[in-house]
């Protein structure tokens, strides 16, 4: 029996078997693959669909794929997708209604939630899932759709071997090494002509799956090589964010002129909220067929950047770009801490990469912080998840 103290080595070919074992256990296997010039998360039929030999190059408002000079399976940072699209899908049917002779009948949609196995989950993404767990299931009311998708997922985490140009997980204490929330964690090592994975077991289920995949005990040198991979990644962060006193920093700068500066650049397009793995704003819409006989209610993603989202009779309470960007950033980094006891940001950098004008949340925090001189000498005011 594989135990959780053991570190095992899997040769690259063993990934194919891992996918097959998970499929045989009834999982819908989802992982990274190349589509539309990006690395996205999609259903995998085999390990051949992984982004073999690709890296991503990221900066503010910039994302490109480039060929690597090796055949790394996970040699990229994160793409535009996150796991939230499976656990909290962009659109969910809540119910359908049908007119009957003297009234109407309401029926819940007949939809089955797949049993997911996620392959390639990064440490920052495990933190993002933990944050959404608190949002959707941590309070007195649990979201049944989230719960149904979340229950029983199998997670294969992959420790990052390359930081993206917009990553700052080290600042947010969310990476690059996975420390919880996985069944199996892999570190991909490519050195001296060798290519292998060092595997760690997080749960009994993970151990049972690994027993069906060919592996062997890792040597001390292989374990050290895997640790070096993660440490090198930690030193390569594309961005940094000083988080000490961040909640109070933002609270006391509600009227800072920097909000006008960012409003001059922000298109209020909502891209940052769509790509963010923790954003959870949503709205509910009803639609009726043309004959008026049938209706349905759907929940779909929304964003604090849309005018409608904060519409209360007579108008939006956040009518300007200034008020909407301030709401988003202050919620992520300050009020979220009061609401959920954690930051709403895991430092994945997606909002920076996918902002069409390259607005950078780390730069905005820095600008506000640097305008306060000297800054207060206080401690980090939240505990990492
Ligand atoms: S705010 Fe930006 S960096 Fe932070 S978790 Fe969301 S997308 Fe990632
Ligand atoms: S910050 Fe960037 S991505 Fe977000 S709404 Fe403004 S322009 Fe769009």
């Amino acid at each position: 029996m594989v135990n959780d103290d053991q570190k095992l080595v899997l040769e690259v070919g063993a990934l194919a078997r891992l996918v097959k074992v998970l499929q045989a256990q009834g999982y819908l296997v989802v992982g990274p693959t190349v589509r539309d010039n990006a690395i996205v998360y999609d259903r995998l039929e085999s390990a051949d669909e992984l982004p073999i030999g690709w890296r991503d190059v990221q900066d503010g408002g910039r994302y490109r794929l480039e060929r690597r000079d090796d055949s790394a399976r996970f040699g990229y940072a994160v793409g535009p997708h996150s796991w939230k699209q499976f656990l909290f899908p962009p659109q969910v049917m809540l119910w359908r209604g049908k007119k009957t002779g003297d009234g109407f009948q309401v029926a819940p949609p007949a939809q089955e939630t797949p049993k997911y196995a996620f392959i390639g989950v990064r440490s920052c993404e495990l933190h993002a899932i933990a944050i959404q767990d608190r949002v959707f299931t941590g309070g007195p009311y649990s979201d049944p759709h989230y719960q149904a998708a979340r229950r029983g997922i199998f997670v294969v985490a992959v420790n990052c071997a390359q930081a993206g140009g917009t990553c700052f997980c080290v600042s947010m204490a969310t990476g690059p090494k996975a420390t919880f929330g996985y069944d199996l964690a892999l570190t991909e090592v490519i050195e001296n002509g060798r290519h292998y994975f060092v595997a760690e077991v997080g749960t009994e289920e993970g151990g049972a799956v690994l027993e069906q995949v060919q592996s062997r005990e890792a040597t001390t040198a292989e374990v050290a090589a895997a640790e070096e991979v993660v440490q090198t990644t930690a030193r390569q962060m594309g961005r940094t964010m000083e988080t000490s006193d961040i909640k109070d920093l933002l609270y006391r700068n509600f009227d800072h002129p920097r909000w006008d500066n960012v409003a001059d650049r922000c298109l209020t397009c909502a891209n940052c909220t769509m790509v963010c793995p923790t954003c959870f704003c949503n709205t509910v819409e009803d639609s009726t067929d043309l004959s008026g006989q049938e209706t349905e209610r759907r929940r779909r993603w929304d964003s604090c950047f849309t005018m409608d989202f904060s519409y209360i009779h007579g108008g939006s309470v956040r009518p300007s770009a200034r008020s909407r960007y301030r709401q988003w950033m202050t919620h992520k980094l300050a009020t979220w801490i009061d609401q959920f006891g954690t930051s709403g940001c895991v430092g994945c950098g997606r909002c920076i990469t996918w902002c069409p004008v390259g607005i950078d949340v780390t730069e905005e925090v820095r600008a506000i912080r640097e305008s306060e001189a000297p800054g207060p000498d206080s401690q980090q005011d939240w505990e990492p998840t």
Side-chain angles (χ1 to χ4, degrees), residues 83-92 111 113 116 132 136 143 145-146 149 282 299-301:
W83 304 100
K84 110 175 158 180
Q85 75 193 64
F86 303 100
L87 301 177
F88 167 51
Q91 229 186 96
V92 171
Q111 60 192 17
T113 308
Y116 289 118
Q132 288 216 320
F136 288 113
D143 182 275
H145 304 280
Y146 184 87
N282 60 84
R299 179 177 79 180
R300 66 163 176 81
W301 288 357

Side-chain angles (χ1 to χ4, degrees), residues 19 28-35 39-46 49-51 73-74 76 81 83 85-86 116-121 156:
V19 171
L28 188 140
V29 178
V30 181
T33 193
V34 176
R35 200 179 68 215
I39 293 172
V40 297
Y41 296 145
D42 208 344
R43 180 182 188 140
L44 296 183
E45 297 302 337
S46 85
E49 293 167 287
L50 291 169
R73 269 50 176 176
F74 301 96
Y76 60 90
H81 285 183
W83 304 100
Q85 75 193 64
F86 303 100
Y116 289 118
F118 295 159
I119 293 190
V121 184
V156 181

Side-chain angles (χ1 to χ4, degrees), residues 197-357:
F197 292 92
V198 174
E200 292 165 75
V201 174
T203 61
E204 249 178 58
E205 290 80 7
V209 165
L210 206 51
E211 276 180 4
Q212 299 179 58
V213 177
Q214 198 176 13
S215 64
R216 63 167 169 80
E217 192 90 25
T219 63
T220 310
E222 287 164 338
V223 171
E227 274 162 19
E228 181 55 31
V229 164
V230 178
Q231 280 166 21
T232 303
T233 305
R235 291 192 292 270
Q236 291 173 341
M237 290 290 118
R239 298 287 197 275
T240 58
M241 185 194 277
E242 173 59 57
T243 58
S244 59
D245 185 43
I246 194 160
K247 187 176 84 172
D248 291 333
L249 174 80
L250 294 176
Y251 281 172
R252 66 178 175 263
N253 282 293
F254 199 65
D255 291 319
H256 199 283
R258 185 71 187 188
W259 303 120
D260 292 314
N261 175 301
V262 75
D264 285 345
R265 291 170 282 138
C266 177
L267 310 173
T268 67
C269 67
N271 261 18
C272 47
T273 54
M274 296 296 111
V275 294
C276 180
T278 66
C279 278
F280 58 87
C281 288
N282 60 84
T283 190
V284 169
E285 286 176 341
D286 293 338
S287 58
T288 313
D289 73 348
L290 288 176
S291 68
Q293 296 301 305
E294 291 187 20
T295 188
E296 55 187 43
R297 174 165 289 183
R298 288 174 182 272
R299 179 177 79 180
R300 66 163 176 81
W301 288 357
D302 203 348
S303 167
C304 53
F305 279 94
T306 69
M307 284 287 266
D308 280 355
F309 188 72
S310 60
Y311 185 94
I312 298 175
H313 69 90
S316 170
V317 296
R318 287 192 283 272
S320 62
R322 177 186 197 270
S323 59
R324 277 177 263 158
Y325 188 86
R326 180 179 61 191
Q327 154 66 25
W328 177 71
M329 193 171 109
T330 308
H331 189 208
K332 282 275 139 194
L333 299 169
T335 50
W336 204 297
I337 296 168
D338 285 334
Q339 249 184 313
F340 302 111
T342 173
S343 171
C345 174
V346 296
C348 71
R350 288 180 176 91
C351 58
I352 306 170
T353 299
W354 297 95
C355 172
V357 290

